[in-house]
Amino acid sequence: DTAVSQTPKYLVTQMGNDKSIKCEQNLGHDTMYWYKQDSKKFLKIMFSYNNKELIINETVPNRFSPKSPDKAHLNLHINSLELGDSAVYFCASSRDGTADTQYFGPGTRLTVL
Amino acid sequence: DAKTTQPPSMDCAEGRAANLPCNHSTISGNEYVYWYRQIHSQGPQYIIHGLKNNETNEMASLIITEDRKSSTLILPHATLRDTAVYYCIVRVAYNAGNMLTFGGGTRLMVKP
């Protein structure tokens, strides 16, 4: 069974559209994350979220918003997509907000045309 | 979190030990050293972490110098499947949001 899964694996869309990426973890973890990996392969944290609080990396535009319908899911919503949003987005989870190990999903490659 | 410096790339022969260095000269007393790796087209994978003592698990060993300003990740018998980008991350145990800050990493190429 996949521990952290993401859908879709690939997403191609036009500038200005609104899109969502889904993430699910079946590990029973309390904390989930979103990371962005750009074309230069740098991985950057975007959000950290548990049922108590959302921590946002200050560099993330407010067009990006995480939504958590339940503890096992943290979806990423992106409004008014821009060319610079093209990247691979990784979801991750950890046991709690202080856990050492983060488990990453397989990634979603977003291409904005 | 302290900054880390890693060589951009390294080669290793299959079956030999791969020794990946990391400099973290500004590390503070409450910061841990973490290692993750990212195999091509996959999400990062946790390998090991430590504070000041050497650590070993089923994947690798972590050697931290006595002054803690540098460390080495050792893959004792590298295989082709160990070809990946290896990230050394230094951070306090409990930062707000438990966030990881990735640098450029070392691209390890294991060759037959």
Side-chain angles (χ1 to χ4, degrees):
Chain A
D1 286 341
T2 303
V4 182
S5 60
Q6 297 178 226
T7 53
K9 186 169 177 62
Y10 300 96
L11 180 56
V12 180
T13 187
Q14 300 287 332
M15 267 197 319
N17 285 350
D18 302 337
K19 289 293 178 184
S20 296
I21 304 172
K22 294 184 177 181
C23 177
E24 177 182 3
Q25 54 92 5
N26 63 6
L27 298 167
H29 287 169
D30 284 338
T31 304
M32 297 182 72
Y33 313 82
W34 277 103
Y35 288 81
K36 176 183 179 181
Q37 187 166 40
D38 61 25
S39 58
K40 297 183 178 179
K41 303 297 184 183
F42 288 109
L43 263 167
K44 293 183 180 178
I45 181 72
M46 300 178 72
F47 303 101
S48 167
Y49 181 81
N50 64 21
N51 58 7
K52 296 175 183 176
E53 64 179 334
L54 170 68
I55 304 290
I56 304 171
N57 184 320
E58 58 188 14
T59 65
V60 176
N62 57 15
R63 298 181 295 103
F64 290 79
S65 58
K67 298 281 195 309
S68 180
D70 54 60
K71 201 174 76 168
H73 296 83
L74 185 66
N75 303 325
L76 182 64
H77 296 269
I78 315 170
N79 294 326
S80 302
L81 277 156
E82 300 177 357
L83 294 177
D85 298 333
S86 295
V88 180
Y89 292 84
F90 290 98
C91 176
S93 72
S94 64
R95 186 183 69 245
D96 56 40
T98 63
D100 301 316
T101 303
Q102 293 185 19
Y103 296 83
F104 284 77
T108 295
R109 181 173 294 278
L110 171 65
T111 302
V112 182
L113 303 176
Chain B
D1 295 334
K3 183 179 170 62
T4 61
T5 303
Q6 299 177 251
S9 64
M10 292 181 62
D11 290 344
C12 177
E14 188 179 19
R16 304 296 295 268
N19 298 295
L20 293 97
C22 179
N23 286 325
H24 31 80
S25 58
T26 60
I27 193 171
S28 59
N30 62 346
E31 288 182 313
Y32 286 69
V33 180
Y34 291 79
W35 284 84
Y36 278 73
R37 73 179 181 183
Q38 186 174 22
I39 296 171
H40 182 61
S41 297
Q42 297 182 23
Q45 176 189 24
Y46 167 82
I47 302 173
I48 199 167
H49 77 282
L51 181 62
K52 54 183 179 181
N53 297 323
N54 298 336
E55 302 287 344
T56 296
N57 63 19
E58 65 279 2
M59 291 183 69
S61 294
L62 174 60
I63 308 298
I64 302 174
T65 57
E66 192 168 344
D67 63 8
R68 302 208 322 122
K69 293 185 177 183
S70 65
S71 60
T72 301
L73 179 75
I74 300 173
L75 308 178
H77 305 286
T79 70
L80 299 179
R81 287 174 294 183
D82 291 321
T83 292
V85 178
Y86 287 78
Y87 296 98
C88 170
I89 300 167
V90 172
R91 48 155 279 186
V92 295
Y94 309 118
N95 67 15
N98 197 35
M99 297 182 177
L100 294 173
T101 302
F102 289 82
T106 295
R107 183 173 298 278
L108 175 69
M109 180 73 71
V110 180
K111 298 183 175 181

